Amino acid sequence: MKAIVHHEYGSPDVLKLEEVQKPAPADNELLIKVFAVSLNRSDWEGLTGKPLYARIGGLIKPNDKIPGSDIAGIVEAVGKDVRQFKPGDEVFGLILNYGGGFAEYACKSERALALKPASMTFEEAAAIPQAAFIALQGIREKGQVQPGQKVLINGAGGGAGTFAIQLAKLAGAEVTGVDNTEKLELMKSLGADHVIDHTQQDFTKNGNQYDLILDVIAHRSVFAYARALKPNGTYFFVGGSVAILFQILFLGPLIRRITGKHIKLLAVQTDSKDLVYMTELIESGKVILVIDKRYSFSQAAEALRYLGEGHAKGKVVLTVEHALDW
Ligand SMILES: NC(=O)c1ccc[n+]([C@@H]2O[C@H](COP(=O)([O-])OP(=O)(O)OC[C@H]3O[C@@H](n4cnc5c(N)ncnc54)[C@H](OP(=O)(O)O)[C@@H]3O)[C@@H](O)[C@H]2O)c1
């Protein structure tokens, strides 16, 4: 089968379209013919090897050579222990090791997989998984946002952020979205009450305090985040610098003891029910799925460059064309 592969960390130039062995499903896995795969920042991180946590499993060279974790496609075969899906089912979900989706076929377990609604295209379904898990858990399940609370989402114009703005508004919160200049209008259009351009203003220095900060791209010190939280407020680190992650893991508990403010890592769980719930919100029109650009499979490098260079508003999706001349 064809796959987009990188044998070293680097820019999108290191990506190559190669012939690789078609995977075979283990007893608990499905073989999925992939029709669409969406891009996440984790793909960019895995490609460039930055931050350092992206090199877990391959310090010098990548172990997972095929990017892509959010896929949608048709089940071609199932292992003997698979119970919920059968060949021919249209499905979508997250590959749990965050790789392998930039390919004609991928194997994954039943976890974090759901039936694709007939109303959605493969591209739409592929745009949902990772971003939905982060947003649903950050805002609803672990964030437990309540009406009237002040919520700030840092990196709100990206995949997880565009869902998070809308979920926080649905919960009745007053929402501030932070992202770059290009994404201010998008954040407003999704319901953000306030927007901050991070190239112009540091949200931890403007004197405002929040009940919840969901940070998909953390680069400030743990003390700056504490300053921006209300007493008893919660800050969630989703992604960002490893140095900040260590500060949060080691100093977060201390800050909580002294100030009562909760500063912690959001360890995202992957449960199929979140996928079903998010598709229901999208189908009912309560949440808008923001797909900025669609690329063909062979344009994967260009698509990743678009995301990595900071232009992507919401999600970017690759369509995997089968039976075409490569
Ligand atoms: N904790 C967990 O369990 C878990 C699980 C899965 C994924 N993750 C992590 O979650 C993150 C995924 O986020 P995503 O896919 O939603 O990313 P994304 O789509 O790239 O969105 C991030 C947004 O932040 C913006 N941004 C960049 N620098 C910023 C700054 N200094 N201040 C404010 N905004 C800034 C980006 O804009 P530009 O386009 O200008 O860069 C982009 O719009 C990744 O870091 C991934 O590793 C964590």
Side-chain angles (χ1 to χ4, degrees), residues 134-313:
I134 294 171
L136 280 169
Q137 284 168 41
I139 300 296
R140 281 182 89 239
E141 290 154 31
K142 295 184 180 167
Q144 307 241 321
V145 170
Q146 303 298 317
Q149 285 192 326
K150 289 176 80 172
V151 172
L152 180 138
I153 299 148
N154 191 41
T162 46
F163 278 149
I165 292 176
Q166 300 179 78
L167 293 176
K169 284 307 294 177
L170 281 176
E174 180 182 331
V175 179
T176 301
V178 185
D179 212 301
N180 72 34
T181 323
E182 279 184 53
K183 305 185 192 183
L184 301 182
E185 284 310 315
L186 170 66
M187 294 189 291
K188 281 189 213 160
S189 74
L190 295 173
D193 301 286
H194 316 281
V195 292
I196 296 176
D197 182 344
H198 75 80
T199 65
Q200 304 296 320
Q201 193 189 123
D202 182 340
F203 74 85
T204 64
K205 290 183 179 162
N206 64 10
N208 289 326
Q209 290 189 316
Y210 301 90
D211 295 287
L212 177 76
I213 297 174
L214 183 68
D215 196 353
V216 301
I217 187 129
H219 290 291
R220 294 178 181 82
S221 86
V222 70
F223 303 107
Y225 294 131
R227 191 167 59 229
L229 278 181
K230 286 188 184 179
N232 207 31
T234 299
Y235 167 91
F236 281 134
F237 174 105
V238 181
S241 127
V242 171
I244 303 306
L245 175 59
F246 279 120
Q247 279 191 21
I248 280 157
L249 293 177
F250 293 111
L251 297 177
L254 190 67
I255 290 177
R256 184 182 170 190
R257 231 172 291 145
I258 297 167
T259 67
K261 300 180 182 186
H262 307 250
I263 299 188
K264 47 193 177 185
L265 166 72
L266 181 76
V268 176
Q269 313 294 315
T270 51
D271 190 327
S272 307
K273 75 172 173 28
D274 281 350
L275 297 178
V276 175
Y277 182 68
M278 186 55 92
T279 55
E280 287 169 0
L281 287 176
I282 295 168
E283 284 187 302
S284 68
K286 290 182 178 154
V287 165
I288 295 166
L289 173 62
V290 182
I291 298 181
D292 180 1
K293 280 202 169 212
R294 296 158 202 247
Y295 289 85
S296 70
F297 189 55
S298 54
Q299 294 173 307
E302 198 183 318
L304 267 168
R305 188 170 287 113
Y306 183 74
L307 180 130
E309 288 178 353
H311 307 300
K313 300 180 189 76

Side-chain angles (χ1 to χ4, degrees), residues 64-122:
D64 297 324
K65 298 181 172 57
I66 304 175
S69 60
D70 282 356
I71 58 169
I74 298 180
V75 178
E76 183 153 297
V78 297
K80 71 177 178 53
D81 297 336
V82 170
R83 296 282 172 267
Q84 299 173 54
F85 302 96
K86 58 182 188 319
D89 283 347
E90 295 187 350
V91 294
F92 72 110
L94 175 87
I95 299 175
L96 295 175
N97 60 3
Y98 296 114
F102 282 25
E104 289 185 285
Y105 293 87
C107 283
K108 79 174 284 336
S109 69
E110 292 179 281
R111 214 172 117 206
L113 190 71
L115 288 172
K116 178 183 81 62
S119 66
M120 285 188 184
T121 63
F122 287 110

Side-chain angles (χ1 to χ4, degrees), residues 33-37 72-74 104 122-123 318-322:
K33 186 171 184 177
V34 180
F35 283 91
V37 53
I74 298 180
E104 289 185 285
F122 287 110
E123 285 81 4
L318 298 183
T319 302
V320 184
E321 310 91 342
H322 291 264

